[in-house]
Amino acid sequence: MTEDAEQLFPIEARALAESLEAGLLDLKSHPEDRALIDGVFRDLHTLKGSGAMFGHTRLAQFLHDFETAFEAVRDGRLRVSPALVELGLRACDHAMALLDGGSAEPGEVLLSALAALTLEPGAAQAAAQPDDLAAGTGVGDSLALGREAAAVPDQDGPPPWSLSVYLAGDTLTLGGRPLGVLDELRALGAQRLHPLLDRLPPLSELTPDRLYVGWRMELPGELSEEVIREAFLFHDEGLDLELERRAAGPAEAAAARGATAAADPEQPDAERRPKGSAGAMMRVPAERLDEMMDRVGELVIAEARLAELAARSGDTLLITVAEEIQRLATSMRETTMSIRMTPIGSISGRFRRLVHDLDATLGKPIDLVIEGQDTELDKTVIEMLADPLMHLIRNSADHGLETPEERRSMGKPDVGTIRMGARYSGAEVVITLADDGRGLDLGKLRAHAEKRGLIGPEDDLDDAEIRALILQPGFSTAQSVTELSGRGVGMDVVRRTIEQLRGTLEVESEPGHGTQISMRLPLTLAIIDGLLVEVAGERYTIPLAAVEHIIELPEDRAQETGHTRLLTIRDKLVPFLRLRQLLDSPGAPGPHQKVVVVTAGELRVGLTVDRIIGSSQTVIKQLSPLHAALKSFSGATVLGDGTVALILDVPQLVAFGQALDAVEAA
């Protein structure tokens, strides 16, 4: 097995575990949904099969009985219950622990619980005889007995399947295990298994590492075609498979025709067979994507320099070539960016599982509502957001939501709601997490902050500043430390992570009606479209996604003093900031200043500049640690002529201007 394959399997396994977990949580609410049942069975089957293929035999053996149990659910011999879902979730956790080299002992407890659950009276295990069950047959064996009984159809049941199959000739060379496939088929109830030797070459032409033998067998008629084909999930390349109902008498033939017509009355059987996926998926290590993004960034800088040189030369042929390279570079940049962009829904599964566990731990029924799951962010941002969002959900469940009795007394429904949403806002993504719980007690917050020495009794704080105290390191109003909270670490982690991502954090709350945390984050940390402007001879870049429009500053307003003034734009008053003054630039402004109107959160603000140079692709280079404290700049970029332009952080710049105005007013 190659090193790449060994590294890839844990990634694939965790993705399957996340899909399995999501399916189980959905089944809890929709236990009769056939598509969900099939999806859970498919994930279990794939995780077990791939585990066996990659040498994780303990993982495969542990999952076998759970796969068998969900096959019984598919066949209608076992019903989905909350207990079965809970066991499935715990099995998912144990499977990942086994993948990390954990002990197999907890799995034995889970398998015993599964056996007890599936062997309960009325659990649809009538296919196995009472004597067998009394003898201590395991759940996998008892369900296999049920399959064997079903493999012999009664007079009115569908006739059995006849299967002839040849695996690809290079199966052994590629590390495939034909015996493992046959074991899968036997587990499905295969009978009358015979080898097919018609493709064996003469002895002189026989190659020892090629597979020439095929097999013919019969399978229970109750099995669906999809289930049978799933046994060859990892051997579909070069597979030669014929599957048909065994020729039978008139009654069996009529039953088979009826089953086929019910499945699809219009399509012939061959057209109903599963086909390959229209769009194949490939997993690539994040490091390679980062490296590719770096290369694309360097390409964008080189393309900008080429365009600059071509424009100076005046050579039409060179300009044409530069424009073509610019088009290709733009296309490559957009493609690379789209690869890095990930929907926030990709991490929502772990939040649903967290809420499921909190529901049981805290004894509070909780409904998690997630909106805007298709909103995309840079993969780096998504991964960094996972832990802060987990902290916020824990805090909402533990501190924010009341007990059912308290909610009932307040006229609220017993079930508390935590709502997570994501949406685009200009050059930012806004992620909110809100609950409908008790809200923040501002008096209690202030008293606790004074007790800890964070503020003095004489400090004059408005409501927003008091609410922001919960973001201070070590701040907690919990009466005692619990497994979930009480140490004051969670919100500090949230604040530091958002600051790392150059985002902002806002806390809103209404006593008795809940709390909302809003996080504003830049769309990407790599490449953006930028508007290049000039202020006092220096060039700066403004993220183009934040720009609404550009107007000329009226001459009668050009010489006004002060950092912030108002303009009437389209019948609305818009404040504008003088970048020359904010940046403490020398010299007097020119006669024809421009106002770039940008969005900063929910605000529309104008930024006055001396000159608009144009738009360009901007590769964001992080500032050195020495300059990291300059909040008004989100980074720097290299221009086509090799010089450096600072990238303006619009929200931080607006906040800086407002703070200066507040100081002047005071």
Side-chain angles (χ1 to χ4, degrees), residues 522-541:
L523 274 173
T524 179
L525 302 177
I527 301 177
I528 61 171
D529 286 318
L531 179 69
L532 195 62
V533 301
E534 185 178 298
V535 178
E538 297 288 341
R539 287 179 288 181
Y540 301 92
T541 295

Side-chain angles (χ1 to χ4, degrees), residues 441-461:
D441 186 330
L442 299 187
K444 186 177 179 181
L445 287 178
R446 174 159 193 137
H448 193 74
E450 290 179 4
K451 181 180 178 182
R452 292 185 59 86
L454 297 175
I455 59 174
E458 71 285 352
D459 290 341
D460 184 19
L461 303 180

Side-chain angles (χ1 to χ4, degrees), residues 347-364:
I347 57 172
S348 64
R350 63 189 79 176
F351 304 144
R352 295 176 60 209
R353 175 63 191 277
L354 174 64
V355 168
H356 172 272
D357 293 344
L358 289 173
D359 191 324
T361 304
L362 299 173
K364 300 177 183 178

